[in-house]
mmCIF file with all atom_site columns, all heavy atoms in Angstrom:
data_model
loop_
_atom_site.group_PDB
_atom_site.id
_atom_site.type_symbol
_atom_site.label_atom_id
_atom_site.label_alt_id
_atom_site.label_comp_id
_atom_site.label_asym_id
_atom_site.label_entity_id
_atom_site.label_seq_id
_atom_site.pdbx_PDB_ins_code
_atom_site.Cartn_x
_atom_site.Cartn_y
_atom_site.Cartn_z
_atom_site.occupancy
_atom_site.B_iso_or_equiv
_atom_site.pdbx_formal_charge
_atom_site.auth_seq_id
_atom_site.auth_comp_id
_atom_site.auth_asym_id
_atom_site.auth_atom_id
_atom_site.pdbx_PDB_model_num
ATOM 1   N N   . ILE I 1 95  ? -1.676 15.488 10.246 1.00 0.00 ? 338 ILE I N   1
ATOM 2   C CA  . ILE I 1 95  ? -0.789 14.372 9.911  1.00 0.00 ? 338 ILE I CA  1
ATOM 3   C C   . ILE I 1 95  ? 0.427  14.443 10.846 1.00 0.00 ? 338 ILE I C   1
ATOM 4   O O   . ILE I 1 95  ? 0.870  13.424 11.389 1.00 0.00 ? 338 ILE I O   1
ATOM 5   C CB  . ILE I 1 95  ? -0.374 14.426 8.457  1.00 0.00 ? 338 ILE I CB  1
ATOM 6   C CG1 . ILE I 1 95  ? -1.588 14.122 7.592  1.00 0.00 ? 338 ILE I CG1 1
ATOM 7   C CG2 . ILE I 1 95  ? 0.751  13.380 8.166  1.00 0.00 ? 338 ILE I CG2 1
ATOM 8   C CD1 . ILE I 1 95  ? -1.331 14.252 6.073  1.00 0.00 ? 338 ILE I CD1 1
ATOM 9   N N   . ALA I 1 96  ? 0.999  15.634 11.054 1.00 0.00 ? 339 ALA I N   1
ATOM 10  C CA  . ALA I 1 96  ? 2.224  15.770 11.896 1.00 0.00 ? 339 ALA I CA  1
ATOM 11  C C   . ALA I 1 96  ? 1.872  15.349 13.310 1.00 0.00 ? 339 ALA I C   1
ATOM 12  O O   . ALA I 1 96  ? 2.682  14.660 13.960 1.00 0.00 ? 339 ALA I O   1
ATOM 13  C CB  . ALA I 1 96  ? 2.687  17.227 11.855 1.00 0.00 ? 339 ALA I CB  1
ATOM 14  N N   . ARG I 1 97  ? 0.719  15.671 13.779 1.00 0.00 ? 340 ARG I N   1
ATOM 15  C CA  . ARG I 1 97  ? 0.313  15.351 15.161 1.00 0.00 ? 340 ARG I CA  1
ATOM 16  C C   . ARG I 1 97  ? 0.075  13.879 15.364 1.00 0.00 ? 340 ARG I C   1
ATOM 17  O O   . ARG I 1 97  ? 0.532  13.296 16.299 1.00 0.00 ? 340 ARG I O   1
ATOM 18  C CB  . ARG I 1 97  ? -0.860 16.191 15.554 1.00 0.00 ? 340 ARG I CB  1
ATOM 19  C CG  . ARG I 1 97  ? -0.592 17.642 15.782 1.00 0.00 ? 340 ARG I CG  1
ATOM 20  C CD  . ARG I 1 97  ? -1.862 18.429 16.076 1.00 0.00 ? 340 ARG I CD  1
ATOM 21  N NE  . ARG I 1 97  ? -1.606 19.837 16.372 1.00 0.00 ? 340 ARG I NE  1
ATOM 22  C CZ  . ARG I 1 97  ? -2.544 20.766 16.509 1.00 0.00 ? 340 ARG I CZ  1
ATOM 23  N NH1 . ARG I 1 97  ? -3.807 20.421 16.437 1.00 0.00 ? 340 ARG I NH1 1
ATOM 24  N NH2 . ARG I 1 97  ? -2.213 22.009 16.804 1.00 0.00 ? 340 ARG I NH2 1
ATOM 25  N N   . ILE I 1 98  ? -0.650 13.253 14.424 1.00 0.00 ? 341 ILE I N   1
ATOM 26  C CA  . ILE I 1 98  ? -1.007 11.837 14.641 1.00 0.00 ? 341 ILE I CA  1
ATOM 27  C C   . ILE I 1 98  ? 0.169  10.930 14.412 1.00 0.00 ? 341 ILE I C   1
ATOM 28  O O   . ILE I 1 98  ? 0.161  9.737  14.857 1.00 0.00 ? 341 ILE I O   1
ATOM 29  C CB  . ILE I 1 98  ? -2.201 11.393 13.747 1.00 0.00 ? 341 ILE I CB  1
ATOM 30  C CG1 . ILE I 1 98  ? -1.831 11.421 12.269 1.00 0.00 ? 341 ILE I CG1 1
ATOM 31  C CG2 . ILE I 1 98  ? -3.425 12.238 14.070 1.00 0.00 ? 341 ILE I CG2 1
ATOM 32  C CD1 . ILE I 1 98  ? -2.931 10.860 11.345 1.00 0.00 ? 341 ILE I CD1 1
ATOM 33  N N   . LEU I 1 99  ? 1.211  11.435 13.770 1.00 0.00 ? 342 LEU I N   1
ATOM 34  C CA  . LEU I 1 99  ? 2.413  10.597 13.552 1.00 0.00 ? 342 LEU I CA  1
ATOM 35  C C   . LEU I 1 99  ? 3.512  10.941 14.553 1.00 0.00 ? 342 LEU I C   1
ATOM 36  O O   . LEU I 1 99  ? 4.632  10.418 14.444 1.00 0.00 ? 342 LEU I O   1
ATOM 37  C CB  . LEU I 1 99  ? 2.925  10.777 12.127 1.00 0.00 ? 342 LEU I CB  1
ATOM 38  C CG  . LEU I 1 99  ? 2.049  10.219 11.002 1.00 0.00 ? 342 LEU I CG  1
ATOM 39  C CD1 . LEU I 1 99  ? 2.661  10.425 9.644  1.00 0.00 ? 342 LEU I CD1 1
ATOM 40  C CD2 . LEU I 1 99  ? 1.770  8.713  11.213 1.00 0.00 ? 342 LEU I CD2 1
ATOM 41  N N   . ASP I 1 100 ? 3.170  11.787 15.493 1.00 0.00 ? 343 ASP I N   1
ATOM 42  C CA  . ASP I 1 100 ? 4.148  12.201 16.544 1.00 0.00 ? 343 ASP I CA  1
ATOM 43  C C   . ASP I 1 100 ? 3.958  11.254 17.732 1.00 0.00 ? 343 ASP I C   1
ATOM 44  O O   . ASP I 1 100 ? 2.940  11.325 18.419 1.00 0.00 ? 343 ASP I O   1
ATOM 45  C CB  . ASP I 1 100 ? 3.925  13.631 16.936 1.00 0.00 ? 343 ASP I CB  1
ATOM 46  C CG  . ASP I 1 100 ? 4.951  14.131 17.932 1.00 0.00 ? 343 ASP I CG  1
ATOM 47  O OD1 . ASP I 1 100 ? 5.646  13.299 18.565 1.00 0.00 ? 343 ASP I OD1 1
ATOM 48  O OD2 . ASP I 1 100 ? 5.096  15.360 18.042 1.00 0.00 ? 343 ASP I OD2 1
ATOM 49  N N   . PRO I 1 101 ? 4.967  10.378 18.056 1.00 0.00 ? 344 PRO I N   1
ATOM 50  C CA  . PRO I 1 101 ? 4.774  9.462  19.174 1.00 0.00 ? 344 PRO I CA  1
ATOM 51  C C   . PRO I 1 101 ? 4.510  10.125 20.499 1.00 0.00 ? 344 PRO I C   1
ATOM 52  O O   . PRO I 1 101 ? 3.854  9.587  21.395 1.00 0.00 ? 344 PRO I O   1
ATOM 53  C CB  . PRO I 1 101 ? 6.112  8.692  19.198 1.00 0.00 ? 344 PRO I CB  1
ATOM 54  C CG  . PRO I 1 101 ? 6.650  8.819  17.824 1.00 0.00 ? 344 PRO I CG  1
ATOM 55  C CD  . PRO I 1 101 ? 6.194  10.159 17.351 1.00 0.00 ? 344 PRO I CD  1
ATOM 56  N N   . SER I 1 102 ? 5.014  11.334 20.700 1.00 0.00 ? 345 SER I N   1
ATOM 57  C CA  . SER I 1 102 ? 4.825  12.051 21.961 1.00 0.00 ? 345 SER I CA  1
ATOM 58  C C   . SER I 1 102 ? 3.423  12.586 22.131 1.00 0.00 ? 345 SER I C   1
ATOM 59  O O   . SER I 1 102 ? 2.955  12.839 23.221 1.00 0.00 ? 345 SER I O   1
ATOM 60  C CB  . SER I 1 102 ? 5.828  13.228 22.040 1.00 0.00 ? 345 SER I CB  1
ATOM 61  O OG  . SER I 1 102 ? 5.528  14.269 21.084 1.00 0.00 ? 345 SER I OG  1
ATOM 62  N N   . LEU I 1 103 ? 2.705  12.722 21.033 1.00 0.00 ? 346 LEU I N   1
ATOM 63  C CA  . LEU I 1 103 ? 1.309  13.214 21.079 1.00 0.00 ? 346 LEU I CA  1
ATOM 64  C C   . LEU I 1 103 ? 0.266  12.102 20.789 1.00 0.00 ? 346 LEU I C   1
ATOM 65  O O   . LEU I 1 103 ? -0.846 12.204 21.226 1.00 0.00 ? 346 LEU I O   1
ATOM 66  C CB  . LEU I 1 103 ? 1.133  14.318 20.003 1.00 0.00 ? 346 LEU I CB  1
ATOM 67  C CG  . LEU I 1 103 ? 1.937  15.595 20.161 1.00 0.00 ? 346 LEU I CG  1
ATOM 68  C CD1 . LEU I 1 103 ? 1.740  16.525 18.961 1.00 0.00 ? 346 LEU I CD1 1
ATOM 69  C CD2 . LEU I 1 103 ? 1.567  16.278 21.445 1.00 0.00 ? 346 LEU I CD2 1
ATOM 70  N N   . SER I 1 104 ? 0.663  11.075 20.037 1.00 0.00 ? 347 SER I N   1
ATOM 71  C CA  . SER I 1 104 ? -0.316 10.075 19.584 1.00 0.00 ? 347 SER I CA  1
ATOM 72  C C   . SER I 1 104 ? 0.194  8.636  19.839 1.00 0.00 ? 347 SER I C   1
ATOM 73  O O   . SER I 1 104 ? 0.049  7.826  18.954 1.00 0.00 ? 347 SER I O   1
ATOM 74  C CB  . SER I 1 104 ? -0.601 10.330 18.113 1.00 0.00 ? 347 SER I CB  1
ATOM 75  O OG  . SER I 1 104 ? -1.075 11.607 17.848 1.00 0.00 ? 347 SER I OG  1
ATOM 76  N N   . GLY I 1 105 ? 0.713  8.414  20.979 1.00 0.00 ? 348 GLY I N   1
ATOM 77  C CA  . GLY I 1 105 ? 1.251  7.080  21.257 1.00 0.00 ? 348 GLY I CA  1
ATOM 78  C C   . GLY I 1 105 ? 0.172  6.022  21.154 1.00 0.00 ? 348 GLY I C   1
ATOM 79  O O   . GLY I 1 105 ? 0.401  4.910  20.642 1.00 0.00 ? 348 GLY I O   1
ATOM 80  N N   . ASP I 1 106 ? -1.004 6.238  21.766 1.00 0.00 ? 349 ASP I N   1
ATOM 81  C CA  . ASP I 1 106 ? -2.088 5.238  21.733 1.00 0.00 ? 349 ASP I CA  1
ATOM 82  C C   . ASP I 1 106 ? -2.536 4.968  20.310 1.00 0.00 ? 349 ASP I C   1
ATOM 83  O O   . ASP I 1 106 ? -2.781 3.827  19.908 1.00 0.00 ? 349 ASP I O   1
ATOM 84  C CB  . ASP I 1 106 ? -3.310 5.765  22.556 1.00 0.00 ? 349 ASP I CB  1
ATOM 85  C CG  . ASP I 1 106 ? -3.018 5.776  24.019 1.00 0.00 ? 349 ASP I CG  1
ATOM 86  O OD1 . ASP I 1 106 ? -2.005 5.130  24.452 1.00 0.00 ? 349 ASP I OD1 1
ATOM 87  O OD2 . ASP I 1 106 ? -3.776 6.443  24.777 1.00 0.00 ? 349 ASP I OD2 1
ATOM 88  N N   . PHE I 1 107 ? -2.691 5.988  19.495 1.00 0.00 ? 350 PHE I N   1
ATOM 89  C CA  . PHE I 1 107 ? -3.110 5.795  18.108 1.00 0.00 ? 350 PHE I CA  1
ATOM 90  C C   . PHE I 1 107 ? -2.053 5.003  17.330 1.00 0.00 ? 350 PHE I C   1
ATOM 91  O O   . PHE I 1 107 ? -2.395 4.080  16.609 1.00 0.00 ? 350 PHE I O   1
ATOM 92  C CB  . PHE I 1 107 ? -3.358 7.134  17.410 1.00 0.00 ? 350 PHE I CB  1
ATOM 93  C CG  . PHE I 1 107 ? -3.444 7.036  15.930 1.00 0.00 ? 350 PHE I CG  1
ATOM 94  C CD1 . PHE I 1 107 ? -4.521 6.397  15.326 1.00 0.00 ? 350 PHE I CD1 1
ATOM 95  C CD2 . PHE I 1 107 ? -2.457 7.578  15.090 1.00 0.00 ? 350 PHE I CD2 1
ATOM 96  C CE1 . PHE I 1 107 ? -4.626 6.273  13.950 1.00 0.00 ? 350 PHE I CE1 1
ATOM 97  C CE2 . PHE I 1 107 ? -2.545 7.448  13.732 1.00 0.00 ? 350 PHE I CE2 1
ATOM 98  C CZ  . PHE I 1 107 ? -3.610 6.805  13.149 1.00 0.00 ? 350 PHE I CZ  1
ATOM 99  N N   . LEU I 1 108 ? -0.798 5.375  17.455 1.00 0.00 ? 351 LEU I N   1
ATOM 100 C CA  . LEU I 1 108 ? 0.260  4.687  16.704 1.00 0.00 ? 351 LEU I CA  1
ATOM 101 C C   . LEU I 1 108 ? 0.379  3.263  17.145 1.00 0.00 ? 351 LEU I C   1
ATOM 102 O O   . LEU I 1 108 ? 0.612  2.343  16.291 1.00 0.00 ? 351 LEU I O   1
ATOM 103 C CB  . LEU I 1 108 ? 1.556  5.431  16.860 1.00 0.00 ? 351 LEU I CB  1
ATOM 104 C CG  . LEU I 1 108 ? 1.653  6.839  16.225 1.00 0.00 ? 351 LEU I CG  1
ATOM 105 C CD1 . LEU I 1 108 ? 2.958  7.505  16.549 1.00 0.00 ? 351 LEU I CD1 1
ATOM 106 C CD2 . LEU I 1 108 ? 1.524  6.700  14.735 1.00 0.00 ? 351 LEU I CD2 1
#
Side-chain angles (χ1 to χ4, degrees):
I338 292 174
R340 288 175 176 174
I341 66 174
L342 292 180
D343 185 341
S345 66
L346 297 175
S347 303
D349 290 343
F350 165 68
L351 291 174

